[in-house]
Amino acid sequence: RSSLAMARVEAIRRGLRVRVCPGQNGCDGSANWHGGWNSFVDRDNDNNIDPNETQLEVHTRLDGGSTLTGANHVIFKSDGTAADARTLNLCSADGDASPHRRQINVSAVGRVKVCGPPAAGEPACPIACP
């Protein structure tokens, strides 16, 4: 969540498009975020970090066999809105994974929301874990 929130703030602050995606140096084309992700200013919208573009953050792989899957990228436009609504699913590798599942939703207006297993009487968010 913090990586997405930072990317949104940077898009607004810089007045430029910021892309967050799986991989360590630009987008690797997958939807498997558990190997790590990065965010960068993508001036030409080509999924690559070019010499005139700035890498903002690199996040290393998740620990303990947790997985993060879903959309193959999230793009924040210069006004902080998202290019498209996106969803990511975070699943732990432990035997009783349901209490540790989380879904990260990025709305079209750029709001980042995390939901998890419901508290008593609340509806569950649909989390797809293997």
Side-chain angles (χ1 to χ4, degrees):
R1 185 200 183 290
S2 64
S3 292
L4 294 167
M6 182 276 304
R8 182 176 187 238
V9 167
E10 285 297 316
I12 295 167
R13 187 177 75 78
R14 295 169 184 264
L16 296 167
R17 176 183 301 260
V18 172
R19 184 180 298 265
V20 184
C21 58
Q24 299 292 305
N25 189 23
C27 298
D28 67 9
S30 76
N32 295 319
W33 297 68
H34 47 276
W37 60 90
N38 70 123
S39 60
F40 59 97
V41 174
D42 194 8
R43 291 176 186 267
D44 58 4
N45 201 28
D46 70 350
N47 295 337
N48 297 309
I49 302 172
D50 300 318
N52 67 332
E53 298 173 335
T54 304
Q55 190 168 44
L56 301 170
E57 178 186 41
V58 176
H59 195 286
T60 58
R61 77 177 291 111
L62 295 174
D63 294 331
S66 294
T67 61
L68 182 61
T69 58
N72 61 356
H73 65 264
V74 175
I75 300 170
F76 291 102
K77 298 186 280 185
S78 61
D79 62 0
T81 60
D84 297 300
R86 300 291 181 169
T87 299
L88 299 170
N89 293 307
L90 176 64
C91 302
S92 68
D94 64 18
D96 185 20
S98 63
H100 306 289
R101 295 176 181 177
R102 298 289 180 267
Q103 187 174 75
I104 304 165
N105 296 297
V106 180
S107 71
V109 296
R111 182 172 179 234
V112 179
K113 180 182 175 188
V114 178
C115 70
E122 294 180 7
C125 66
I127 304 169
C129 289

Short mmCIF file of all heavy atoms in Angstrom, two decimals, residues 15-84:
data_model
loop_
_atom_site.label_atom_id
_atom_site.label_comp_id
_atom_site.label_asym_id
_atom_site.label_seq_id
_atom_site.Cartn_x
_atom_site.Cartn_y
_atom_site.Cartn_z
N GLY A 15 3.76 16.16 -11.61
CA GLY A 15 2.90 16.47 -12.75
C GLY A 15 3.15 15.54 -13.92
O GLY A 15 2.99 15.93 -15.08
N LEU A 16 3.54 14.29 -13.61
CA LEU A 16 3.88 13.30 -14.64
C LEU A 16 3.26 11.95 -14.30
O LEU A 16 2.92 11.68 -13.15
CB LEU A 16 5.41 13.14 -14.72
CG LEU A 16 6.19 14.37 -15.17
CD1 LEU A 16 7.68 14.16 -14.91
CD2 LEU A 16 5.94 14.65 -16.64
N ARG A 17 3.18 11.09 -15.29
CA ARG A 17 2.67 9.74 -15.12
C ARG A 17 3.71 8.89 -14.37
O ARG A 17 4.89 8.90 -14.70
CB ARG A 17 2.43 9.14 -16.51
CG ARG A 17 1.97 7.71 -16.53
CD ARG A 17 1.84 7.21 -17.96
NE ARG A 17 0.90 8.01 -18.71
CZ ARG A 17 -0.37 7.65 -18.95
NH1 ARG A 17 -0.81 6.50 -18.54
NH2 ARG A 17 -1.16 8.43 -19.62
N VAL A 18 3.24 8.14 -13.35
CA VAL A 18 4.11 7.23 -12.60
C VAL A 18 3.52 5.82 -12.71
O VAL A 18 2.34 5.61 -12.49
CB VAL A 18 4.25 7.66 -11.12
CG1 VAL A 18 4.98 6.60 -10.31
CG2 VAL A 18 4.97 9.00 -11.03
N ARG A 19 4.39 4.87 -13.04
CA ARG A 19 3.99 3.47 -13.21
C ARG A 19 4.60 2.64 -12.09
O ARG A 19 5.76 2.81 -11.75
CB ARG A 19 4.48 2.95 -14.57
CG ARG A 19 4.03 1.55 -14.89
CD ARG A 19 4.55 1.12 -16.25
NE ARG A 19 4.06 1.93 -17.34
CZ ARG A 19 3.00 1.64 -18.08
NH1 ARG A 19 2.32 0.54 -17.86
NH2 ARG A 19 2.61 2.44 -19.05
N VAL A 20 3.79 1.74 -11.52
CA VAL A 20 4.25 0.77 -10.52
C VAL A 20 3.99 -0.60 -11.12
O VAL A 20 2.88 -0.88 -11.59
CB VAL A 20 3.47 0.91 -9.19
CG1 VAL A 20 4.03 -0.02 -8.13
CG2 VAL A 20 3.48 2.36 -8.69
N CYS A 21 5.01 -1.46 -11.13
CA CYS A 21 4.83 -2.77 -11.77
C CYS A 21 5.81 -3.80 -11.23
O CYS A 21 6.81 -3.46 -10.60
CB CYS A 21 4.96 -2.63 -13.28
SG CYS A 21 6.52 -1.95 -13.83
N PRO A 22 5.53 -5.08 -11.49
CA PRO A 22 6.44 -6.14 -11.08
C PRO A 22 7.78 -6.00 -11.79
O PRO A 22 7.84 -5.56 -12.94
CB PRO A 22 5.75 -7.43 -11.53
CG PRO A 22 4.34 -7.06 -11.78
CD PRO A 22 4.34 -5.61 -12.16
N GLY A 23 8.83 -6.39 -11.11
CA GLY A 23 10.18 -6.32 -11.67
C GLY A 23 11.04 -5.36 -10.87
O GLY A 23 10.56 -4.65 -9.99
N GLN A 24 12.32 -5.35 -11.18
CA GLN A 24 13.26 -4.50 -10.45
C GLN A 24 13.73 -3.29 -11.27
O GLN A 24 14.27 -2.36 -10.73
CB GLN A 24 14.49 -5.33 -10.05
CG GLN A 24 14.16 -6.50 -9.14
CD GLN A 24 13.70 -6.05 -7.78
OE1 GLN A 24 14.40 -5.31 -7.11
NE2 GLN A 24 12.54 -6.50 -7.36
N ASN A 25 13.52 -3.35 -12.60
CA ASN A 25 14.01 -2.29 -13.46
C ASN A 25 13.05 -2.13 -14.64
O ASN A 25 13.28 -2.68 -15.70
CB ASN A 25 15.42 -2.61 -13.93
CG ASN A 25 16.05 -1.45 -14.65
OD1 ASN A 25 15.66 -0.30 -14.46
ND2 ASN A 25 17.03 -1.73 -15.48
N GLY A 26 11.97 -1.42 -14.44
CA GLY A 26 10.92 -1.35 -15.45
C GLY A 26 9.95 -2.50 -15.24
O GLY A 26 10.01 -3.21 -14.25
N CYS A 27 9.06 -2.71 -16.18
CA CYS A 27 8.04 -3.74 -16.05
C CYS A 27 8.52 -5.03 -16.71
O CYS A 27 9.05 -5.00 -17.81
CB CYS A 27 6.74 -3.29 -16.69
SG CYS A 27 6.04 -1.82 -15.90
N ASP A 28 8.30 -6.16 -16.03
CA ASP A 28 8.74 -7.44 -16.61
C ASP A 28 7.61 -8.14 -17.37
O ASP A 28 7.79 -9.23 -17.88
CB ASP A 28 9.34 -8.35 -15.55
CG ASP A 28 8.35 -8.84 -14.51
OD1 ASP A 28 7.12 -8.63 -14.67
OD2 ASP A 28 8.80 -9.44 -13.52
N GLY A 29 6.42 -7.53 -17.42
CA GLY A 29 5.32 -8.09 -18.18
C GLY A 29 4.49 -9.12 -17.45
O GLY A 29 3.48 -9.58 -17.95
N SER A 30 4.88 -9.48 -16.24
CA SER A 30 4.12 -10.48 -15.49
C SER A 30 3.13 -9.81 -14.56
O SER A 30 3.09 -8.59 -14.45
CB SER A 30 5.07 -11.36 -14.67
OG SER A 30 5.52 -10.66 -13.52
N ALA A 31 2.36 -10.63 -13.88
CA ALA A 31 1.46 -10.13 -12.85
C ALA A 31 1.88 -10.72 -11.50
O ALA A 31 1.09 -10.76 -10.57
CB ALA A 31 0.02 -10.50 -13.18
N ASN A 32 3.12 -11.18 -11.40
CA ASN A 32 3.65 -11.77 -10.17
C ASN A 32 4.54 -10.76 -9.45
O ASN A 32 5.72 -10.62 -9.74
CB ASN A 32 4.43 -13.05 -10.48
CG ASN A 32 3.53 -14.12 -11.04
OD1 ASN A 32 2.41 -14.30 -10.57
ND2 ASN A 32 4.00 -14.82 -12.05
N TRP A 33 3.95 -10.09 -8.51
CA TRP A 33 4.61 -9.02 -7.77
C TRP A 33 5.49 -9.55 -6.64
O TRP A 33 6.30 -8.81 -6.08
CB TRP A 33 3.57 -8.08 -7.18
CG TRP A 33 2.73 -7.37 -8.19
CD1 TRP A 33 1.80 -7.91 -9.03
CD2 TRP A 33 2.74 -5.97 -8.47
NE1 TRP A 33 1.22 -6.94 -9.81
CE2 TRP A 33 1.78 -5.74 -9.48
CE3 TRP A 33 3.46 -4.90 -7.94
CZ2 TRP A 33 1.53 -4.48 -9.98
CZ3 TRP A 33 3.20 -3.64 -8.44
CH2 TRP A 33 2.25 -3.43 -9.45
N HIS A 34 5.33 -10.83 -6.25
CA HIS A 34 6.05 -11.34 -5.08
C HIS A 34 7.55 -11.41 -5.31
O HIS A 34 8.32 -11.53 -4.37
CB HIS A 34 5.48 -12.69 -4.61
CG HIS A 34 5.25 -13.69 -5.69
ND1 HIS A 34 4.09 -13.68 -6.44
CD2 HIS A 34 6.00 -14.71 -6.14
CE1 HIS A 34 4.16 -14.67 -7.32
NE2 HIS A 34 5.30 -15.28 -7.17
N GLY A 35 8.03 -11.30 -6.55
CA GLY A 35 9.47 -11.25 -6.81
C GLY A 35 10.04 -9.85 -6.65
O GLY A 35 11.24 -9.65 -6.77
N GLY A 36 9.19 -8.88 -6.37
CA GLY A 36 9.62 -7.49 -6.21
C GLY A 36 8.89 -6.59 -7.19
O GLY A 36 8.27 -7.06 -8.14
N TRP A 37 8.93 -5.31 -6.93
CA TRP A 37 8.30 -4.33 -7.80
C TRP A 37 9.06 -3.02 -7.75
O TRP A 37 9.91 -2.82 -6.89
CB TRP A 37 6.83 -4.12 -7.46
CG TRP A 37 6.58 -3.64 -6.07
CD1 TRP A 37 6.51 -2.34 -5.66
CD2 TRP A 37 6.36 -4.43 -4.90
NE1 TRP A 37 6.24 -2.28 -4.30
CE2 TRP A 37 6.14 -3.56 -3.82
CE3 TRP A 37 6.31 -5.80 -4.67
CZ2 TRP A 37 5.91 -4.01 -2.53
CZ3 TRP A 37 6.08 -6.25 -3.38
CH2 TRP A 37 5.88 -5.35 -2.33
N ASN A 38 8.75 -2.17 -8.69
CA ASN A 38 9.40 -0.87 -8.74
C ASN A 38 8.42 0.18 -9.24
O ASN A 38 7.38 -0.14 -9.81
CB ASN A 38 10.66 -0.93 -9.60
CG ASN A 38 10.40 -1.11 -11.09
OD1 ASN A 38 10.84 -0.30 -11.88
ND2 ASN A 38 9.71 -2.16 -11.50
N SER A 39 8.77 1.42 -8.99
CA SER A 39 7.96 2.53 -9.50
C SER A 39 8.89 3.51 -10.20
O SER A 39 10.04 3.68 -9.80
CB SER A 39 7.18 3.21 -8.37
OG SER A 39 8.05 3.74 -7.41
N PHE A 40 8.37 4.12 -11.25
CA PHE A 40 9.19 5.04 -12.02
C PHE A 40 8.32 6.01 -12.81
O PHE A 40 7.16 5.73 -13.09
CB PHE A 40 10.15 4.29 -12.96
CG PHE A 40 9.47 3.39 -13.96
CD1 PHE A 40 9.22 3.82 -15.26
CD2 PHE A 40 9.09 2.11 -13.60
CE1 PHE A 40 8.61 2.98 -16.18
CE2 PHE A 40 8.47 1.26 -14.52
CZ PHE A 40 8.23 1.70 -15.81
N VAL A 41 8.91 7.15 -13.16
CA VAL A 41 8.26 8.11 -14.03
C VAL A 41 8.32 7.52 -15.43
O VAL A 41 9.40 7.19 -15.91
CB VAL A 41 8.97 9.48 -13.97
CG1 VAL A 41 8.38 10.43 -14.99
CG2 VAL A 41 8.92 10.05 -12.57
N ASP A 42 7.18 7.34 -16.07
CA ASP A 42 7.13 6.73 -17.40
C ASP A 42 6.61 7.78 -18.39
O ASP A 42 5.45 7.76 -18.79
CB ASP A 42 6.25 5.48 -17.38
CG ASP A 42 6.40 4.62 -18.61
OD1 ASP A 42 7.30 4.88 -19.43
OD2 ASP A 42 5.60 3.68 -18.77
N ARG A 43 7.48 8.69 -18.77
CA ARG A 43 7.11 9.82 -19.63
C ARG A 43 6.52 9.38 -20.97
O ARG A 43 5.58 9.98 -21.47
CB ARG A 43 8.32 10.70 -19.91
CG ARG A 43 8.81 11.45 -18.71
CD ARG A 43 10.08 12.24 -19.06
NE ARG A 43 10.64 12.86 -17.89
CZ ARG A 43 10.38 14.10 -17.51
NH1 ARG A 43 9.54 14.83 -18.21
NH2 ARG A 43 10.93 14.60 -16.43
N ASP A 44 7.06 8.30 -21.56
CA ASP A 44 6.61 7.89 -22.89
C ASP A 44 5.69 6.67 -22.86
O ASP A 44 5.35 6.13 -23.91
CB ASP A 44 7.81 7.64 -23.81
CG ASP A 44 8.76 6.59 -23.26
OD1 ASP A 44 8.47 5.98 -22.20
OD2 ASP A 44 9.81 6.37 -23.89
N ASN A 45 5.30 6.23 -21.66
CA ASN A 45 4.32 5.15 -21.50
C ASN A 45 4.74 3.85 -22.21
O ASN A 45 3.93 3.16 -22.81
CB ASN A 45 2.95 5.61 -22.01
CG ASN A 45 1.82 4.79 -21.43
OD1 ASN A 45 1.93 4.25 -20.34
ND2 ASN A 45 0.73 4.67 -22.17
N ASP A 46 6.04 3.50 -22.10
CA ASP A 46 6.54 2.31 -22.79
C ASP A 46 6.92 1.16 -21.86
O ASP A 46 7.50 0.18 -22.31
CB ASP A 46 7.72 2.67 -23.69
CG ASP A 46 8.97 3.03 -22.90
OD1 ASP A 46 8.90 3.20 -21.66
OD2 ASP A 46 10.04 3.17 -23.54
N ASN A 47 6.62 1.27 -20.57
CA ASN A 47 6.91 0.23 -19.58
C ASN A 47 8.39 0.08 -19.25
O ASN A 47 8.76 -0.82 -18.50
CB ASN A 47 6.39 -1.15 -20.00
CG ASN A 47 4.89 -1.21 -20.10
OD1 ASN A 47 4.19 -0.41 -19.48
ND2 ASN A 47 4.39 -2.15 -20.86
N ASN A 48 9.25 0.88 -19.82
CA ASN A 48 10.69 0.80 -19.58
C ASN A 48 11.18 2.08 -18.94
O ASN A 48 10.62 3.15 -19.16
CB ASN A 48 11.45 0.57 -20.89
CG ASN A 48 11.07 -0.74 -21.53
OD1 ASN A 48 11.10 -1.78 -20.89
ND2 ASN A 48 10.70 -0.68 -22.80
N ILE A 49 12.28 1.96 -18.20
CA ILE A 49 12.91 3.15 -17.63
C ILE A 49 13.96 3.63 -18.63
O ILE A 49 14.97 2.98 -18.85
CB ILE A 49 13.55 2.85 -16.26
CG1 ILE A 49 12.50 2.30 -15.31
CG2 ILE A 49 14.20 4.09 -15.70
CD1 ILE A 49 13.06 1.79 -14.00
N ASP A 50 13.69 4.76 -19.23
CA ASP A 50 14.59 5.35 -20.22
C ASP A 50 15.52 6.35 -19.54
O ASP A 50 15.27 6.76 -18.40
CB ASP A 50 13.77 6.03 -21.32
CG ASP A 50 12.84 5.04 -22.03
OD1 ASP A 50 13.29 3.92 -22.31
OD2 ASP A 50 11.68 5.41 -22.29
N PRO A 51 16.59 6.78 -20.22
CA PRO A 51 17.54 7.71 -19.59
C PRO A 51 16.92 9.00 -19.05
O PRO A 51 17.41 9.56 -18.08
CB PRO A 51 18.53 8.02 -20.73
CG PRO A 51 18.47 6.81 -21.60
CD PRO A 51 17.04 6.34 -21.54
N ASN A 52 15.83 9.47 -19.66
CA ASN A 52 15.21 10.71 -19.19
C ASN A 52 14.10 10.47 -18.16
O ASN A 52 13.37 11.37 -17.81
CB ASN A 52 14.63 11.50 -20.38
CG ASN A 52 13.46 10.78 -21.03
OD1 ASN A 52 13.37 9.55 -21.00
ND2 ASN A 52 12.57 11.55 -21.63
N GLU A 53 14.00 9.23 -17.65
CA GLU A 53 12.97 8.88 -16.67
C GLU A 53 13.63 8.50 -15.35
O GLU A 53 14.76 8.03 -15.32
CB GLU A 53 12.10 7.74 -17.20
CG GLU A 53 11.36 8.14 -18.46
CD GLU A 53 10.63 7.00 -19.13
OE1 GLU A 53 11.01 5.83 -18.96
OE2 GLU A 53 9.66 7.30 -19.85
N THR A 54 12.92 8.70 -14.26
CA THR A 54 13.47 8.50 -12.93
C THR A 54 12.84 7.31 -12.24
O THR A 54 11.61 7.21 -12.18
CB THR A 54 13.20 9.75 -12.05
OG1 THR A 54 13.74 10.90 -12.71
CG2 THR A 54 13.81 9.62 -10.67
N GLN A 55 13.68 6.40 -11.75
CA GLN A 55 13.16 5.30 -10.93
C GLN A 55 12.97 5.86 -9.52
O GLN A 55 13.86 6.48 -8.96
CB GLN A 55 14.12 4.12 -10.92
CG GLN A 55 13.50 2.90 -10.27
CD GLN A 55 14.31 1.64 -10.52
OE1 GLN A 55 15.52 1.66 -10.40
NE2 GLN A 55 13.64 0.55 -10.85
N LEU A 56 11.79 5.64 -8.96
CA LEU A 56 11.44 6.22 -7.66
C LEU A 56 11.67 5.25 -6.51
O LEU A 56 12.04 5.64 -5.42
CB LEU A 56 9.98 6.67 -7.67
CG LEU A 56 9.63 7.70 -8.75
CD1 LEU A 56 8.13 7.88 -8.83
CD2 LEU A 56 10.34 9.01 -8.46
N GLU A 57 11.39 3.96 -6.74
CA GLU A 57 11.50 2.97 -5.66
C GLU A 57 11.72 1.59 -6.26
O GLU A 57 11.19 1.27 -7.33
CB GLU A 57 10.21 2.96 -4.83
CG GLU A 57 10.21 1.95 -3.72
CD GLU A 57 8.88 1.86 -2.99
OE1 GLU A 57 7.82 1.89 -3.64
OE2 GLU A 57 8.93 1.72 -1.76
N VAL A 58 12.49 0.77 -5.55
CA VAL A 58 12.64 -0.64 -5.88
C VAL A 58 12.35 -1.41 -4.61
O VAL A 58 12.94 -1.14 -3.56
CB VAL A 58 14.06 -0.98 -6.38
CG1 VAL A 58 14.20 -2.47 -6.62
CG2 VAL A 58 14.39 -0.19 -7.63
N HIS A 59 11.41 -2.34 -4.68
CA HIS A 59 11.06 -3.18 -3.54
C HIS A 59 11.48 -4.60 -3.85
O HIS A 59 11.15 -5.13 -4.90
CB HIS A 59 9.54 -3.12 -3.28
CG HIS A 59 9.16 -3.64 -1.95
ND1 HIS A 59 9.16 -4.98 -1.65
CD2 HIS A 59 8.77 -3.01 -0.83
CE1 HIS A 59 8.77 -5.14 -0.41
NE2 HIS A 59 8.53 -3.95 0.11
N THR A 60 12.23 -5.21 -2.93
CA THR A 60 12.71 -6.57 -3.15
C THR A 60 11.60 -7.59 -2.92
O THR A 60 10.52 -7.25 -2.44
CB THR A 60 13.89 -6.89 -2.23
OG1 THR A 60 13.48 -6.71 -0.87
CG2 THR A 60 15.07 -5.98 -2.55
N ARG A 61 11.89 -8.83 -3.22
CA ARG A 61 10.89 -9.90 -3.13
C ARG A 61 10.31 -10.03 -1.74
O ARG A 61 10.95 -9.66 -0.75
CB ARG A 61 11.48 -11.22 -3.63
CG ARG A 61 12.40 -11.94 -2.70
CD ARG A 61 12.89 -13.29 -3.27
NE ARG A 61 11.83 -14.25 -3.33
CZ ARG A 61 11.27 -14.71 -4.46
NH1 ARG A 61 11.69 -14.30 -5.61
NH2 ARG A 61 10.30 -15.58 -4.42
N LEU A 62 9.10 -10.55 -1.65
CA LEU A 62 8.43 -10.76 -0.37
C LEU A 62 9.08 -11.94 0.37
O LEU A 62 9.53 -12.90 -0.25
CB LEU A 62 6.95 -11.06 -0.59
CG LEU A 62 6.13 -9.92 -1.19
CD1 LEU A 62 4.71 -10.40 -1.48
CD2 LEU A 62 6.10 -8.74 -0.24
N ASP A 63 9.11 -11.85 1.67
CA ASP A 63 9.71 -12.90 2.50
C ASP A 63 8.73 -14.03 2.78
O ASP A 63 7.51 -13.85 2.70
CB ASP A 63 10.14 -12.31 3.86
CG ASP A 63 11.27 -11.32 3.72
OD1 ASP A 63 12.06 -11.47 2.78
OD2 ASP A 63 11.35 -10.41 4.56
N GLY A 64 9.26 -15.18 3.14
CA GLY A 64 8.47 -16.28 3.68
C GLY A 64 7.53 -16.97 2.71
O GLY A 64 6.59 -17.62 3.14
N GLY A 65 7.73 -16.83 1.43
CA GLY A 65 6.87 -17.52 0.48
C GLY A 65 5.53 -16.85 0.23
O GLY A 65 4.66 -17.44 -0.40
N SER A 66 5.34 -15.64 0.72
CA SER A 66 4.10 -14.92 0.44
C SER A 66 4.04 -14.58 -1.04
O SER A 66 5.06 -14.43 -1.70
CB SER A 66 4.02 -13.64 1.27
OG SER A 66 3.93 -13.93 2.64
N THR A 67 2.82 -14.46 -1.56
CA THR A 67 2.64 -14.11 -2.96
C THR A 67 1.80 -12.86 -3.09
O THR A 67 0.91 -12.61 -2.29
CB THR A 67 1.98 -15.26 -3.76
OG1 THR A 67 0.69 -15.52 -3.20
CG2 THR A 67 2.82 -16.52 -3.74
N LEU A 68 2.11 -12.09 -4.10
CA LEU A 68 1.35 -10.89 -4.44
C LEU A 68 1.11 -10.96 -5.95
O LEU A 68 2.06 -10.96 -6.73
CB LEU A 68 2.13 -9.63 -4.07
CG LEU A 68 1.44 -8.29 -4.33
CD1 LEU A 68 0.15 -8.16 -3.53
CD2 LEU A 68 2.38 -7.14 -3.98
N THR A 69 -0.15 -11.10 -6.33
CA THR A 69 -0.49 -11.26 -7.75
C THR A 69 -1.65 -10.35 -8.12
O THR A 69 -2.36 -9.85 -7.25
CB THR A 69 -0.88 -12.73 -8.05
OG1 THR A 69 -1.98 -13.08 -7.21
CG2 THR A 69 0.27 -13.68 -7.83
N GLY A 70 -1.86 -10.20 -9.39
CA GLY A 70 -2.99 -9.41 -9.87
C GLY A 70 -2.63 -8.65 -11.11
O GLY A 70 -2.02 -9.20 -12.03
N ALA A 71 -2.96 -7.39 -11.13
CA ALA A 71 -2.74 -6.54 -12.30
C ALA A 71 -1.26 -6.52 -12.68
O ALA A 71 -0.39 -6.64 -11.82
CB ALA A 71 -3.20 -5.12 -11.97
N ASN A 72 -0.97 -6.33 -13.97
CA ASN A 72 0.43 -6.31 -14.39
C ASN A 72 1.08 -4.93 -14.24
O ASN A 72 2.27 -4.79 -14.48
CB ASN A 72 0.59 -6.83 -15.82
CG ASN A 72 -0.17 -6.00 -16.83
OD1 ASN A 72 -0.88 -5.06 -16.48
ND2 ASN A 72 -0.02 -6.34 -18.09
N HIS A 73 0.32 -3.93 -13.82
CA HIS A 73 0.87 -2.62 -13.50
C HIS A 73 -0.24 -1.73 -12.90
O HIS A 73 -1.42 -2.05 -13.02
CB HIS A 73 1.45 -1.92 -14.74
CG HIS A 73 0.41 -1.59 -15.76
ND1 HIS A 73 0.14 -2.39 -16.83
CD2 HIS A 73 -0.45 -0.53 -15.88
CE1 HIS A 73 -0.82 -1.86 -17.57
NE2 HIS A 73 -1.20 -0.73 -17.00
N VAL A 74 0.19 -0.65 -12.29
CA VAL A 74 -0.72 0.41 -11.83
C VAL A 74 -0.11 1.71 -12.33
O VAL A 74 1.08 1.95 -12.15
CB VAL A 74 -0.85 0.43 -10.29
CG1 VAL A 74 -1.70 1.60 -9.84
CG2 VAL A 74 -1.40 -0.88 -9.77
N ILE A 75 -0.94 2.52 -12.96
CA ILE A 75 -0.47 3.81 -13.48
C ILE A 75 -1.23 4.93 -12.79
O ILE A 75 -2.47 4.92 -12.78
CB ILE A 75 -0.68 3.92 -15.00
CG1 ILE A 75 0.08 2.82 -15.73
CG2 ILE A 75 -0.27 5.30 -15.50
CD1 ILE A 75 -0.27 2.73 -17.20
N PHE A 76 -0.48 5.88 -12.23
CA PHE A 76 -1.08 7.09 -11.69
C PHE A 76 -0.78 8.23 -12.64
O PHE A 76 0.37 8.45 -13.03
CB PHE A 76 -0.54 7.40 -10.29
CG PHE A 76 -0.97 6.40 -9.26
CD1 PHE A 76 -0.11 5.40 -8.84
CD2 PHE A 76 -2.25 6.44 -8.75
CE1 PHE A 76 -0.51 4.48 -7.90
CE2 PHE A 76 -2.67 5.51 -7.80
CZ PHE A 76 -1.79 4.52 -7.38
N LYS A 77 -1.82 8.96 -13.02
CA LYS A 77 -1.66 10.11 -13.91
C LYS A 77 -1.29 11.35 -13.10
O LYS A 77 -1.32 11.33 -11.86
CB LYS A 77 -2.96 10.33 -14.70
CG LYS A 77 -3.30 9.12 -15.59
CD LYS A 77 -4.49 9.37 -16.48
CE LYS A 77 -5.78 9.19 -15.74
NZ LYS A 77 -6.97 9.30 -16.59
N SER A 78 -0.94 12.40 -13.78
CA SER A 78 -0.43 13.61 -13.13
C SER A 78 -1.40 14.26 -12.16
O SER A 78 -1.00 14.99 -11.26
CB SER A 78 -0.01 14.64 -14.19
OG SER A 78 -1.13 15.01 -14.98
N ASP A 79 -2.69 13.95 -12.28
CA ASP A 79 -3.67 14.50 -11.34
C ASP A 79 -3.97 13.54 -10.18
O ASP A 79 -4.84 13.81 -9.36
CB ASP A 79 -4.96 14.87 -12.06
CG ASP A 79 -5.65 13.68 -12.71
OD1 ASP A 79 -5.14 12.54 -12.62
OD2 ASP A 79 -6.71 13.89 -13.33
N GLY A 80 -3.24 12.43 -10.12
CA GLY A 80 -3.42 11.47 -9.02
C GLY A 80 -4.44 10.39 -9.29
O GLY A 80 -4.58 9.47 -8.49
N THR A 81 -5.17 10.49 -10.38
CA THR A 81 -6.12 9.43 -10.72
C THR A 81 -5.35 8.25 -11.31
O THR A 81 -4.22 8.39 -11.78
CB THR A 81 -7.19 9.92 -11.72
OG1 THR A 81 -6.53 10.34 -12.92
CG2 THR A 81 -8.01 11.05 -11.15
N ALA A 82 -5.99 7.08 -11.27
CA ALA A 82 -5.37 5.89 -11.86
C ALA A 82 -5.86 5.75 -13.30
O ALA A 82 -6.99 6.12 -13.62
CB ALA A 82 -5.75 4.66 -11.05
N ALA A 83 -5.00 5.23 -14.16
CA ALA A 83 -5.39 5.03 -15.55
C ALA A 83 -6.54 4.03 -15.64
O ALA A 83 -7.43 4.16 -16.47
CB ALA A 83 -4.20 4.55 -16.37
N ASP A 84 -6.54 3.04 -14.76
CA ASP A 84 -7.59 2.02 -14.67
C ASP A 84 -7.67 1.54 -13.23
O ASP A 84 -6.67 1.55 -12.52
CB ASP A 84 -7.26 0.79 -15.54
CG ASP A 84 -7.18 1.12 -17.01
OD1 ASP A 84 -8.19 1.59 -17.55
OD2 ASP A 84 -6.10 0.91 -17.61
#
